[in-house]
Amino acid sequence: MKKVTTVIVGYGDRGSIYADYAKKYPEELEIKAVVDPDEYRMGLAREKFNLKDEQCIYSFDELVKLGKIADCAIVATMDLLHYSQAKTLLRLGYNVLVEKPVVNNAKQLEELRDVAKNNNRIMMVCHVLRYTPFYSSIKKDILDGKIGEIVHMETSELVGVCHASTSFIRGKWNNEKRCGSSYLLAKCCHDIDLICWLNNATTP
């Protein structure tokens, strides 16, 4: 398998977790650059991945000026930035993985789909719950016929007090206009994805 190179756009909690794949499996993934305006976060990335100065990029515009420098880009910035950044990167020739939710409306989502198609690029969103042992086991049991025919699904999005208070009350997602998505979209897109995925008998 050819090693994949990537640019990490946004080295926050989720971006750093995705980037760690390159640390665990360096033969499969190589980080060409990290983009983040925060000096502290950039320092963490620089130390962990032994980045050179030219690989530490402090603005998205600076990245764009460089053109295409990797196979793909992982967009893990705030929700409000996903649409413009993903569209730009697709047009530059990157395959793009976007943190959920991709956008907060169907029009922009369909436009990103079309931009990816017109540029012969891959556009993906990572719903991480699919890859947890708990949900993976349920999916396997469904595909193996152990559960039987599914006639009803119910999901309950239970957000812990700590997560809710630090992210959605006092944190960066406490204002829909500023962050780009509502509390309902940010959390329950997981549930919608799981319902669709678990109810699709052809997708492992």
Side-chain angles (χ1 to χ4, degrees):
M1 176 178 150
K2 175 182 174 289
K3 181 189 289 189
V4 174
T5 58
T6 190
V7 173
I8 307 294
V9 183
Y11 194 75
D13 180 63
R14 194 55 56 87
S16 64
I17 290 172
Y18 293 154
D20 279 350
Y21 191 91
K23 200 72 176 175
K24 295 177 182 177
Y25 306 100
E27 72 282 1
E28 296 182 13
L29 184 67
E30 178 184 350
I31 295 176
K32 285 293 187 180
V34 170
V35 183
D36 199 291
D38 187 272
E39 193 74 50
Y40 174 74
R41 301 298 305 184
M42 186 64 80
L44 295 177
R46 183 193 297 268
E47 182 178 354
K48 176 173 280 191
F49 300 102
N50 196 27
L51 300 178
K52 300 176 182 177
D53 288 346
E54 60 268 24
Q55 294 176 291
C56 300
I57 302 173
Y58 289 89
S59 77
F60 184 74
D61 290 342
E62 187 182 343
L63 172 67
V64 173
K65 290 177 183 177
L66 297 176
K68 185 173 184 284
I69 62 172
D71 300 317
C72 66
I74 298 174
V75 177
T77 52
M78 289 300 293
D79 306 353
L80 188 63
L81 300 173
H82 291 177
Y83 167 72
S84 61
Q85 291 180 340
K87 183 167 67 171
T88 298
L89 291 165
L90 288 166
R91 287 175 172 169
L92 283 174
Y94 288 92
N95 294 312
V96 179
L97 170 68
V98 183
E99 171 58 10
K100 61 84 191 167
V102 181
V103 290
N104 65 8
N105 64 87
K107 182 180 179 181
Q108 289 183 345
L109 187 63
E110 290 171 353
E111 184 178 348
L112 288 177
R113 175 202 62 195
D114 294 341
V115 171
K117 183 178 180 180
N118 293 338
N119 288 274
N120 195 29
R121 297 293 90 193
I122 298 171
M123 167 86 181
M124 299 188 303
V125 57
C126 189
H127 287 286
V128 295
L129 292 184
R130 287 190 184 195
Y131 305 97
T132 61
F134 177 79
Y135 286 109
S136 295
S137 297
I138 293 174
K139 179 66 175 180
K140 186 177 185 305
D141 287 345
I142 292 173
L143 292 177
D144 291 345
K146 293 181 179 179
I147 294 177
E149 182 184 0
I150 298 174
V151 295
H152 175 77
M153 284 189 186
E154 181 176 337
T155 60
S156 297
E157 184 64 52
L158 304 176
V159 183
V161 173
C162 181
H163 182 34
S165 61
T166 56
S167 295
F168 298 100
I169 298 173
R170 296 190 297 271
K172 293 184 288 187
W173 285 267
N174 73 342
N175 183 295
E176 181 176 347
K177 185 176 181 180
R178 185 169 69 246
C179 82
S181 62
S182 66
Y183 188 14
L184 184 65
L185 177 62
K187 297 310 299 176
C188 291
C189 62
H190 279 305
D191 301 79
I192 295 169
D193 176 68
L194 286 170
I195 289 172
C196 294
W197 178 59
L198 292 173
N199 201 36
N200 186 336
T202 62
T203 305

